[in-house]
Amino acid sequence: MIEGIFYATITIIVGLIVAGIAFGIIRWLKKRAERTATELDDIILLAVGTPLVIWIILVSVYIALTRYGLLPESLAGISSSQIINAIFIILAAWAVSVFFTNLIRTYGAKISERADADLDRIIPIILITVRYVIWFAVFLILLANFHIDITALLAAAGIAGIALALAAQDIIGNFFGGVIIAIDKPFHMGDRVRVNTFFGDVVGLGPRSTRIKTMDHQIVTIPNSTITSNVITNYSMPDPTMKVRIP
């Protein structure tokens, strides 16, 4: 027993040394990546770096505990291999989540700038959606790892998704209306426009609605789906010169 503890301690120490070396290499690679033209290598290193170091440490701990018989085969009815697999799944999901978050944030801003589209207000919603999808998939994988039947859960999630889509169809319609406005660019912040009977300056562009300040200094909130389905008159384009008819 004492001999096993000794070898397990040595194994963990070696793992910590390897993790420290990996951390140093990753820091060196990050500095090298900062001098490259592309930002993809920075995103990959940022996503992989910390999870990789933690993974090396956990592998050394796992080898130390299992190789020398210090870890029981099961804990509270759950096998040790299932616990270790769950930890590795979470680490992998962490790396994937960080990768896609930075990828969308970095290249989304570049696409918005090149396309001259107001996508900055849509990117946060895309980020939240991607994170929820990734971690929901991880949740299902973890349930399968612990041999929990997910058939009923998937069926319930499908029904709940349909019910949610029906209940939130106006919100979804307004969101896609905001996407269309951001891409089509019928107006920008500060433009003087007319939408239906509302006439004023655009003071707010959101994922759900657009706000117009009328000539009476009142704020009118118009759903984006209403804007995309109506005729819009933009008095600030192509230039702010405006013709006024006086009886």
Side-chain angles (χ1 to χ4, degrees):
M1 183 66 179
I2 297 177
E3 184 179 358
I5 294 175
F6 173 76
Y7 286 119
T9 304
I10 296 298
T11 303
I12 294 175
I13 292 174
V14 171
L16 292 174
I17 294 173
V18 174
I21 295 173
F23 179 75
I25 293 174
I26 290 170
R27 287 191 60 182
W28 178 76
L29 290 175
K30 285 181 179 179
K31 292 181 180 180
R32 297 271 299 183
E34 290 175 356
R35 296 194 291 267
T36 59
T38 180
E39 296 185 18
L40 184 60
D41 48 2
D42 300 86
I43 295 172
I44 294 174
L45 290 173
L46 185 62
V48 174
T50 304
L52 177 61
V53 173
I54 296 175
W55 181 81
I56 293 173
I57 296 174
L58 289 177
V59 166
S60 64
V61 173
Y62 173 73
I63 294 174
L65 295 179
T66 57
R67 178 69 175 80
Y68 303 106
L70 300 179
L71 184 70
E73 295 183 359
S74 63
L75 297 172
I78 301 174
S79 66
S80 57
S81 61
Q82 289 177 328
I83 298 175
I84 297 300
N85 290 337
I87 295 174
F88 289 158
I89 290 170
I90 293 174
L91 285 175
W94 179 16
V96 172
S97 178
V98 172
F99 172 77
F100 279 105
T101 297
N102 289 290
L103 184 70
I104 294 171
R105 185 180 289 118
T106 302
Y107 287 96
K110 288 188 176 183
I111 293 173
S112 176
E113 183 179 352
R114 292 177 181 176
D116 190 24
D118 301 323
L119 298 177
D120 293 339
R121 52 200 171 97
I122 301 173
I123 292 175
I125 300 177
I126 298 176
L127 288 173
I128 294 174
T129 304
V130 170
R131 287 171 185 165
Y132 272 109
V133 170
I134 291 174
W135 288 107
F136 180 72
V138 170
F139 175 68
L140 295 180
I141 294 173
L142 289 174
L143 291 179
N145 176 64
F146 291 111
H147 303 297
I148 299 174
D149 187 14
I150 62 175
T151 305
L153 182 63
L154 290 176
I159 296 173
I162 294 174
L164 182 63
L166 292 175
Q169 56 183 341
D170 291 338
I171 298 176
I172 296 173
N174 290 326
F175 169 73
F176 283 106
V179 174
I180 294 173
I181 292 173
I183 296 175
D184 193 47
K185 303 184 294 295
F187 49 76
H188 298 86
M189 285 286 293
D191 286 359
R192 180 155 295 181
V193 299
R194 180 186 296 277
V195 181
N196 285 344
T197 58
F198 303 107
F199 175 73
D201 300 328
V202 179
V203 295
L205 298 171
R208 192 198 71 83
S209 61
T210 298
R211 290 178 175 83
I212 296 176
K213 183 178 182 181
T214 66
M215 299 296 99
D216 299 327
H217 298 282
Q218 296 175 334
I219 301 296
V220 179
T221 301
I222 306 175
N224 289 329
S225 59
T226 301
I227 294 177
T228 55
S229 60
N230 283 276
V231 176
I232 303 170
T233 304
N234 191 332
Y235 296 96
S236 298
M237 296 175 65
D239 58 68
T241 304
M242 186 174 177
K243 180 171 68 175
V244 180
R245 293 183 176 90
I246 302 177

